[in-house]
């Protein structure tokens, strides 16, 4: 009896996973990313990847993720309890079988194209009504194309950009496939007259545009930043 119960419960878990994979996918998440994140949330392991921002920065996905975390914790307790006690007498396998059937039925319904299309429209409609652009992760706002690229360029005294203006370095910047979002100087964000602002040591320039273009124009500064950051990582603790 205990073996049957566990098999049925594993069917429920598999159905819950597949249902949420479809729901995450309908919110715009890639299918392979959806499956990994659902399993990560369910098991409580591996949910520290950079892709977790896609879940945390999306209100609908956050609600689905909350259910998965709770369901995963509950499932672990049920499985451990079932294995250790070989099922208590008051736990009826028939009831669990009905629950499993309900999840499997829900999964089959969600697999139909009509239901997926309606849910996708509903999710998008809710997003347009209630979600501010600032609520979305940066990937979904800026990185909508393979060529899109965002960089936080750190400036050092040895950087080629140091003590110069962007207008002097890139005189035809208006014709290039990139823009400067802002310059961060300490706690201040410079948004006005950016291209004619003299660059100081310690500035952080936030760039957006074509990855190829950004690397072509600022390659020397990027190399300088990478070398500096690499040397800082390998610096002995007593020298920091």
């Amino acid at each position: 009896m205990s073996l049957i119960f566990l098999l049925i419960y594993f069917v429920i878990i598999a159905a819950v996973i597949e249902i949420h994979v479809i729901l995450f996918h309908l919110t715009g998440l890639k299918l392979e990313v959806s499956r990994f994140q659902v399993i990560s949330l369910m098991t409580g392991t591996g949910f520290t990847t950079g892709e977790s921002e896609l879940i945390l920065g999306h209100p609908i996905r956050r609600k689905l993720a909350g259910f998965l975390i709770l369901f995963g914790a509950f499932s672990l307790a049920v499985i451990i309890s079932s294995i250790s006690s070989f099922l208590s007498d008051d736990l009826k396998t028939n009831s669990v079988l009905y629950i499993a059937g309900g999840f499997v039925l829900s999964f089959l319904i969600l697999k139909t194209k009509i239901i997926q299309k309606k849910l996708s429209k509903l999710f998008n409609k809710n997003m347009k009504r209630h979600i501010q652009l600032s609520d979305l992760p940066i990937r979904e706002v800026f990185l909508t194309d393979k060529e899109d690229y965002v960089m936080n360029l750190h400036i050092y005294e040895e950087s080629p950009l140091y003590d110069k203006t962007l207008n002097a370095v890139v005189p035809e910047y208006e014709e290039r496939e990139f823009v400067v979002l802002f310059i961060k100087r300490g706690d201040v964000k410079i948004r006005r007259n950016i291209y004619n602002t003299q660059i100081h040591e310690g500035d952080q320039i936030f760039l957006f545009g074509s990855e190829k273009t950004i690397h072509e124009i600022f390659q020397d500064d990027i190399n300088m930043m990478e070398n500096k950051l690499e040397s800082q990582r390998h610096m002995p603790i007593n020298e920091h």
Side-chain angles (χ1 to χ4, degrees), residues 38 65 67 83 133 161 218 239:
V38 167
F67 171 81
I83 294 174
L133 189 63
L161 258 176
F218 303 101
E239 293 185 19

Side-chain angles (χ1 to χ4, degrees), residues 185-199:
R185 182 171 293 166
D187 296 330
V188 178
K189 291 182 180 178
I190 302 172
R191 297 186 176 90
R192 298 178 60 184
N193 201 26
I194 294 177
Y195 294 94
N196 292 315
T197 297
Q198 192 175 40
I199 306 301

Side-chain angles (χ1 to χ4, degrees), residues 146-207:
K146 290 182 178 180
E147 291 296 319
D148 290 341
Y149 188 67
V150 174
M151 169 171 278
N152 178 10
L153 183 62
H154 293 241
I155 302 299
Y156 301 88
E157 189 175 358
E158 299 87 349
S159 301
L161 258 176
Y162 170 69
D163 208 28
K164 297 183 178 68
T165 65
L166 289 165
N167 192 21
V169 176
V170 194
E172 298 178 353
Y173 62 86
E174 293 180 350
E175 300 178 7
R176 309 300 292 270
E177 295 183 27
F178 87 99
V179 293
V180 179
L181 300 176
F182 59 88
I183 299 173
K184 185 176 180 182
R185 182 171 293 166
D187 296 330
V188 178
K189 291 182 180 178
I190 302 172
R191 297 186 176 90
R192 298 178 60 184
N193 201 26
I194 294 177
Y195 294 94
N196 292 315
T197 297
Q198 192 175 40
I199 306 301
H200 295 178
E201 180 184 4
D203 284 355
Q204 296 178 40
I205 306 174
F206 286 78
L207 305 166

Side-chain angles (χ1 to χ4, degrees), residues 5 37 40 53 67 75 114 129 132 149 159 163 184:
F5 172 82
Q37 293 299 326
S40 298
E53 182 187 350
F67 171 81
S75 297
I114 297 176
R129 283 184 177 180
Q132 298 286 336
Y149 188 67
S159 301
D163 208 28
K184 185 176 180 182

